[in-house]
Amino acid sequence: MKPNKEIHPPKWADLLLKWFCSERVIETLQGDLYELYEKRRRKSSKLKADYGFVGDVFSSLRPFAMRKLWSKHTNNNAMLRNNLKVAWRGLIKHKMYSIIKVSGLSIGITACLLISLFVIDELGHDTSYADSERIYRLINVESNPQDPGNWTAHQALTAGLMKEQFPEIEMSGRLIPYKWYVAGDNQVRRSDRTQNTYEEGFAYMDQELLEILTPKMVYGTLEEALIKPNSVVLTREKSEKYFPGENPIGKTLILDEDVENPWVVGAVIENNDKNNHLQFDFLLTLTDEEFWRGEQTSWCCSNYNTYIKLREGVNPLVMEQKMAALMRELYIPYLKERGNQYWEDVEKYREYNLQPVNDIHLYSRGISDILKHGDIKIVWLFSAIAVFVLLLACINFVNLSTAKSANRAKEVGLRKVVGSLRSNLVSQFLTESILVTFISTIIGVVLAGLLIPSFNAISGKSLEMPLTEWWLIPSMIILALVVGTLAGIYPAFYLSAFKPIEAISGKLSRGSKTSTLRGVMVVFQFSCSVILIVGSLIVYKQMQYMLKKDLGYDKDHVLMIQGVNSIGDKLDLLQNELLKIPEVKSVTASNYLPVSGTKRDQNEFWIEGRSKIDKGIGGQMWNVDDDYIETLGMNLMEGRDFDKFSNRDSTSLIINQTMVRELGLEDPVGARIQNWRGYTVIGVVQDFHFESMRDSIGPLALRLDRYGSVVPVKIQTTDMKATLTAITNTWDEIMPNQPIRYSFLDEVFESMYDDVQRTGNVFAGFSILAIFVACLGLFGLSAFMVEQRSKEISIRKVLGASIKVIFKLLTFNFMKLIGISLLIAIPISFYLMQEWLSDFEFKVNIGWMVFVIASLLITLISILTISYESLKAAIINPVTGLRSE
């Protein structure tokens, strides 16, 4: 019986059945299994039917069904069974060495399995889009050696202009993913309700970009989702939250209590794939949006991410050159017309890069785009560590197998005398290796399942064991076979090469001592361990440096009340009421704060009157109120703070020290500078970190403006709980329809370095695993060495050797190997961590103490590992060691 051509069982399982079964049973057996498969398929899903078929196939792999070819070689079957029996008996007989081998391999396989899940998840980003291989993000590339950079923001007209000029571009679209007018976060409610809910994940997007991304539609049509002004597209999750069980098309949402501009639901799409780089639940249309007069048709300002979909067969490298040439052709005259000297840099250094959408997640380091990304370096780091841990476990297996060669020499000699071929011996030893690996793989899968929550915490992922995936079992079988073969191949050929006469006569006993190869392997194991220890210490040191460094402001005891943009004209009332609480020392309001997730506004600055002579200085322009500097504990180096009662301060700026240097101001207070209008500098604030410490501190100007979506509150209290209750009660009195939402500035600051913390956790976690695996092997080797030298030790004791002499005798060679490991690992770890630290503008000096601590730690652990067997041998009664003779 043949299965339905449209619905067929897994091909690999069918082929396995045909390969295993003899001709006399295959037709009947296959027909029965196909019939069962068809019945299951009619009653349930294809997935369940596939699993059932695979289970039936494996249950059918029994001796009675073996191919005729196998039956001709019953000796082979008998030998396989014998090999398995001998291997199992060996594991039971040498329990300690078996536990060491299995434990090491189990840990290595656990690490490999967890890392594999991580890597598969990281490499699987942005693959769900239709024609994803033709979708690109347009990147600005500035190669000026004085001020290089890569960023995603383009002028409003870029996307449409490129599509209009180049027929090779099938579609182009725009996105505003950062805080910009309504994009970012908002207080949300239905137009027929009064209670607000805070939501993040708002972004402006035009209709054509939505069509490029081709999301699955729940309600509405893709072609009309964002076509109308003031339309919004919701994900299924948000649609169910605000319009449960309803079709929300045509219904309205109010954002930040702006009742005059309601947003009409134009469509509902499926929830975002967790592996897409765009994770927005509210997509706001750009149709007819003009944020200021002429904004959509000017080369003035860059606020839009631009996405391009090329036609089939178009070379993106050629398109980059064409698009950059068009940009320079139109942008440079615009700059020249306004006397902006930046046109020279555009002409010399500005290029475009088309970044494949599949590369955005892992290859965006160094590109300014505010989105959360992974890092291909982290993927390689995790992968390398997992491979090394598995390799360390394999080294344990090889070392212990070859170290015990003398114990098996007579067995090999006798087998050869009675007629065993070398191939039979190799088969025996590989069977033992693969049996150990299969046991280790089963334990490794169980451990991975138990450890995956901890691994998720370290990696910042939400991974799950793929227990329902069909490929898991075949993959684990293949892994066990590959690892077992790799770990066992050298011992198998090494042991099987013994000559019968030498093996039986005992002349191979000297081979039990530490060989050069085993020494090299031990050095490799501990070198890897030292590198990981040094990495852990330096990452920890850098993290502590960033958390404790003088930031130029005081982040402690600052409560950030968020979602204040909906409060309207009650902002002054809120601030005044909060100041009545005794523990509240000062209150300010701003959209701009020196932590990630708050607003940024890049501008160009000149000394007034020189905008057509000098190149502009890029810098941030932040709107703050007169209490901002006091509340955040910043330091005024020159001049004065803002005065809310002075009308003159509406055209005044306070700039940071970097701005002073960049503009070349010798006497900054009273100087006149400009961006699109002129200002008077009234003060200079000490430089403070407002971005990650990976970046240098850039120029920044503070401008007086009494508006903000965040209200920072400086608190001084010994009873934080009571103070928070008082603040919450004050908020509830003023905003009864909106729950208070707050966080602490120091906690938000720490979250900026979650990736660094994760890297440190990875180093620390895998350092422990690597050291444990290496010490398992060292313990096994020391135990075996003591066993082999027991007669020598007993004779030395009879002749008067002290415990100290015996201990030194047994540990000296091992400690020499540890010393060599340190000499190799220290320069390698220094180089690697210097490379890692090069990503940070502000970083620690590595210093010699890190290497001293790592050396002492690995030496102490090694001494403790080998001391047990060495001391036991040193204090044992010599009669015990000689009795067997």
Side-chain angles (χ1 to χ4, degrees):
M1 176 180 176
K2 296 292 182 182
N4 189 311
K5 291 182 179 180
E6 297 298 323
I7 302 172
H8 50 78
K11 190 174 181 179
W12 68 268
D14 197 27
L15 291 174
L16 175 63
L17 187 71
K18 292 178 181 177
W19 172 79
F20 184 89
C21 295
S22 65
E23 296 177 359
R24 61 187 174 79
V25 299
I26 183 63
E27 186 173 352
T28 303
L29 186 58
Q30 196 175 38
D32 292 342
L33 295 188
Y34 285 161
E35 188 174 339
L36 281 173
Y37 179 81
E38 295 283 358
K39 289 180 180 179
R40 288 196 187 101
R41 184 64 188 87
R42 286 193 294 270
K43 294 180 179 178
S44 60
S45 66
K46 184 178 187 304
L47 181 64
K48 290 184 178 179
D50 287 348
Y51 276 119
F53 185 83
V54 171
D56 291 340
V57 167
F58 277 105
S59 66
S60 302
L61 304 184
R62 300 182 182 182
F64 79 87
M66 286 183 180
R67 292 167 58 196
K68 191 174 182 180
L69 179 62
W70 286 35
S71 65
K72 292 181 179 179
H73 300 282
T74 54
N75 287 338
N76 288 346
N77 295 330
M79 183 166 289
L80 176 62
R81 289 194 295 271
N82 180 68
N83 287 346
L84 287 172
K85 288 180 181 178
V86 171
W88 181 253
R89 288 169 182 167
L91 291 178
I92 299 301
K93 181 178 180 181
H94 305 287
K95 291 184 178 65
M96 184 185 74
Y97 298 106
S98 299
I99 290 173
I100 291 174
K101 290 177 182 178
V102 171
S103 298
L105 285 173
S106 297
I107 291 171
I109 289 169
T110 300
C112 268
L113 182 54
L114 291 173
I115 295 298
S116 296
L117 294 176
F118 173 85
V119 171
I120 290 170
D121 184 78
E122 286 291 281
L123 296 178
H125 276 70
D126 293 304
T127 57
S128 62
Y129 307 123
D131 303 319
S132 61
E133 71 283 356
R134 294 194 283 131
I135 302 174
Y136 299 85
R137 185 173 66 166
L138 188 62
I139 308 295
N140 290 295
V141 178
E142 186 89 8
S143 57
N144 186 342
Q146 303 300 319
D147 189 22
N150 302 279
W151 67 98
T152 58
H154 298 268
Q155 294 85 355
L157 50 75
T158 302
L161 183 65
M162 295 301 170
K163 180 184 176 184
E164 178 184 323
Q165 293 295 317
F166 300 113
E168 299 95 324
I169 297 176
E170 182 178 328
M171 303 175 77
S172 63
R174 302 171 301 167
L175 173 78
I176 301 179
Y178 30 79
K179 291 180 181 292
W180 179 260
Y181 290 81
V182 185
D185 52 15
N186 293 280
Q187 296 295 331
V188 184
R189 65 176 175 86
R190 288 174 51 155
S191 58
D192 57 349
R193 305 285 169 84
T194 58
Q195 185 73 22
N196 278 305
T197 302
Y198 172 78
E199 294 283 5
E200 297 177 337
F202 288 82
Y204 284 106
M205 180 182 289
D206 58 21
Q207 172 65 32
E208 195 149 327
L209 177 55
L210 193 66
E211 293 181 27
I212 290 174
L213 302 178
T214 59
K216 294 180 180 179
M217 305 303 295
V218 179
Y219 295 110
T221 62
L222 179 62
E223 295 75 19
E224 297 181 352
L226 291 173
I227 206 71
K228 295 179 181 178
N230 266 57
S231 56
V232 59
V233 170
L234 310 179
T235 57
R236 179 193 288 271
E237 178 186 355
K238 299 305 177 183
S239 175
E240 285 297 319
K241 181 175 181 178
Y242 290 97
F243 305 98
E246 304 177 44
N247 180 345
I249 302 299
K251 297 183 178 181
T252 55
L253 293 173
I254 304 298
L255 307 185
D256 286 339
E257 290 300 326
D258 186 4
V259 294
E260 295 182 2
N261 294 290
W263 291 84
V264 182
V265 178
V268 177
I269 60 175
E270 276 294 352
N271 294 328
N272 296 307
D273 187 322
K274 68 181 181 66
N275 281 349
N276 287 349
H277 75 284
L278 298 180
Q279 294 290 319
F280 300 105
D281 291 312
F282 301 86
L283 303 177
L284 310 167
T285 185
L286 282 169
T287 302
D288 291 349
E289 281 286 352
E290 188 171 41
F291 297 105
W292 59 83
R293 190 172 182 180
E295 181 258 347
Q296 291 291 310
T297 56
S298 171
W299 285 95
C300 160
C301 304
S302 300
N303 297 305
Y304 298 82
N305 288 4
T306 298
Y307 289 77
I308 302 290
K309 182 177 182 179
L310 298 179
R311 298 190 186 277
E312 291 187 12
V314 176
N315 187 336
L317 299 178
V318 174
M319 283 306 303
E320 288 174 355
Q321 298 174 5
K322 288 184 177 182
M323 294 166 69
L326 177 63
M327 176 271 297
R328 288 191 291 268
E329 179 184 335
L330 299 175
Y331 188 31
I332 290 175
Y334 170 86
L335 294 172
K336 285 183 175 180
E337 182 182 339
R338 284 153 181 78
N340 191 326
Q341 299 304 305
Y342 181 57
W343 72 266
E344 296 178 0
D345 284 356
V346 173
E347 185 176 56
K348 291 180 183 178
Y349 305 116
R350 179 70 69 85
E351 298 291 342
Y352 275 160
N353 171 249
L354 286 174
Q355 183 185 30
V357 70
N358 305 129
D359 289 351
I360 291 175
H361 178 67
L362 290 177
Y363 296 91
S364 291
R365 174 60 65 89
I367 298 175
S368 300
D369 68 354
I370 74 100
L371 299 176
K372 290 184 178 180
H373 299 294
D375 189 343
I376 191 63
K377 290 182 180 179
I378 298 297
V379 173
W380 284 114
L381 173 66
F382 275 41
S383 302
I385 290 175
V387 170
F388 277 122
V389 172
L390 182 58
L391 191 56
L392 299 186
C394 291
I395 287 173
N396 278 356
F397 187 96
V398 173
N399 273 350
L400 291 177
S401 298
T402 55
K404 288 180 67 65
S405 58
N407 286 17
R408 307 202 64 175
K410 290 184 179 181
E411 175 193 345
V412 172
L414 288 172
R415 281 174 176 267
K416 285 192 172 184
V417 167
V418 298
S420 286
L421 300 175
R422 186 178 184 186
S423 59
N424 299 134
L425 293 171
V426 169
S427 173
Q428 169 65 54
F429 295 131
L430 283 178
T431 300
E432 295 175 10
S433 171
I434 292 172
L435 177 61
V436 169
T437 311
F438 264 100
I439 295 171
S440 302
T441 300
I442 295 170
I443 296 173
V445 172
V446 174
L447 284 176
L450 296 174
L451 293 175
I452 202 163
S454 300
F455 183 75
N456 282 336
I458 292 174
S459 63
K461 290 285 186 180
S462 300
L463 304 174
E464 296 178 354
M465 282 295 292
L467 298 176
T468 58
E469 298 291 341
W470 66 268
W471 49 263
L472 180 63
I473 293 177
S475 298
M476 293 300 98
I477 292 173
I478 293 171
L479 176 66
L481 291 173
V482 170
V483 173
T485 302
L486 291 177
I489 193 72
Y490 173 75
F493 280 93
Y494 174 75
L495 294 172
S496 64
F498 292 164
K499 295 179 181 179
I501 294 177
E502 292 181 358
I504 295 174
S505 64
K507 293 181 180 180
L508 291 172
S509 61
R510 63 184 180 275
S512 65
K513 295 183 180 180
T514 305
S515 68
T516 301
L517 177 61
R518 289 201 296 276
V520 169
M521 290 183 176
V522 170
V523 167
F524 177 79
Q525 284 184 312
F526 280 90
S527 296
C528 292
S529 300
V530 172
I531 290 171
L532 288 171
I533 291 172
V534 171
S536 301
L537 293 173
I538 291 175
V539 172
Y540 175 79
K541 191 176 179 182
Q542 174 66 14
M543 190 70 189
Q544 293 303 304
Y545 168 79
M546 292 186 297
L547 294 179
K548 296 178 180 179
K549 185 181 184 299
D550 180 9
L551 302 173
Y553 67 92
D554 184 6
K555 67 180 185 301
D556 297 324
H557 308 296
V558 177
L559 182 77
M560 301 193 312
I561 302 176
Q562 297 160 322
V564 186
N565 37 341
S566 60
I567 201 169
D569 57 7
K570 297 179 181 178
L571 179 58
D572 285 339
L573 173 63
L574 174 65
Q575 290 182 278
N576 292 331
E577 291 299 313
L578 288 173
L579 287 170
K580 293 178 181 178
I581 301 172
E583 293 80 8
V584 172
K585 298 307 174 185
S586 62
V587 181
T588 185
S590 178
N591 289 325
Y592 303 86
L593 290 165
V595 288
S596 61
T598 59
K599 194 171 182 180
R600 298 291 182 265
D601 190 3
Q602 185 75 3
N603 280 244
E604 229 175 343
F605 295 89
W606 298 265
I607 295 175
E608 191 172 56
R610 300 190 61 86
S611 62
K612 296 186 178 181
I613 302 171
D614 302 329
K615 292 179 182 178
I617 300 301
Q620 288 287 312
M621 176 73 91
W622 288 13
N623 295 331
V624 303
D625 68 11
D626 50 292
D627 294 310
Y628 187 86
I629 290 177
E630 177 189 355
T631 302
L632 294 184
M634 296 175 176
N635 300 313
L636 267 177
M637 309 304 291
E638 296 182 54
R640 63 176 178 84
D641 202 346
F642 292 115
D643 182 357
K644 63 182 175 182
F645 300 109
S646 172
N647 293 330
R648 293 178 303 166
D649 280 0
S650 62
T651 58
S652 299
L653 293 180
I654 296 175
I655 62 177
N656 69 352
Q657 293 170 304
T658 301
M659 177 78 82
V660 173
R661 289 193 300 270
E662 293 288 329
L663 288 174
L665 300 175
E666 295 183 3
D667 188 11
V669 177
R672 294 282 296 175
I673 64 176
Q674 69 177 83
N675 57 355
W676 51 273
R677 58 172 292 184
Y679 295 92
T680 300
V681 177
I682 63 169
V684 177
V685 68
Q686 178 187 355
D687 279 342
F688 60 90
H689 290 274
F690 56 88
E691 299 293 359
S692 166
M693 290 192 196
R694 290 187 172 92
D695 306 315
S696 58
I697 298 175
L700 179 140
L702 303 177
R703 177 174 58 189
L704 185 63
D705 183 7
R706 294 193 59 78
Y707 170 79
S709 61
V710 180
V711 170
V713 181
K714 183 69 174 180
I715 299 172
Q716 185 175 349
T717 181
T718 56
D719 189 353
M720 183 61 72
K721 184 177 180 181
T723 304
L724 292 177
T725 300
I727 291 173
T728 301
N729 292 337
T730 299
W731 172 271
D732 290 341
E733 289 175 7
I734 298 172
M735 296 293 291
N737 293 323
Q738 181 177 318
I740 190 172
R741 190 175 61 86
Y742 59 78
S743 57
F744 285 92
L745 185 61
D746 57 343
E747 294 175 354
V748 178
F749 175 81
E750 288 184 25
S751 71
M752 293 170 61
Y753 302 102
D754 282 345
D755 60 328
V756 179
Q757 188 67 59
R758 285 197 295 269
T759 302
N761 291 339
V762 169
F763 270 114
F766 284 101
S767 294
I768 293 171
L769 290 181
I771 292 169
F772 180 71
V773 171
C775 288
L776 277 177
L778 191 62
F779 179 80
L781 287 176
S782 64
F784 185 75
M785 182 191 67
V786 168
E787 177 188 333
Q788 290 297 304
R789 303 182 71 176
S790 59
K791 179 181 177 182
E792 175 192 348
I793 293 167
S794 297
I795 293 173
R796 285 178 179 271
K797 292 195 70 176
V798 168
L799 295 176
S802 65
I803 293 176
K804 180 179 178 181
V805 171
I806 298 297
F807 181 78
K808 182 179 178 182
L809 174 71
L810 295 175
T811 59
F812 178 74
N813 282 336
F814 287 119
M815 297 315 299
K816 183 170 65 175
L817 296 177
I818 301 304
I820 296 172
S821 301
L822 291 171
L823 292 176
I824 293 172
I826 287 174
I828 293 175
S829 58
F830 178 81
Y831 170 77
L832 293 176
M833 296 317 295
Q834 280 282 66
E835 286 293 304
W836 181 75
L837 286 171
S838 66
D839 283 343
F840 295 87
E841 186 71 24
F842 298 89
K843 57 198 171 193
V844 294
N845 292 319
I846 292 179
W848 56 270
M849 184 56 69
V850 170
F851 301 106
V852 171
I853 294 172
S855 300
L856 291 175
L857 185 61
I858 201 70
T859 302
L860 178 63
I861 292 172
S862 303
I863 290 175
L864 291 175
T865 300
I866 59 180
S867 290
Y868 174 75
E869 290 294 334
S870 299
L871 288 174
K872 187 171 73 171
I875 63 177
I876 198 170
N877 190 332
V879 175
T880 304
L882 295 171
R883 184 175 296 157
S884 61
E885 303 296 324

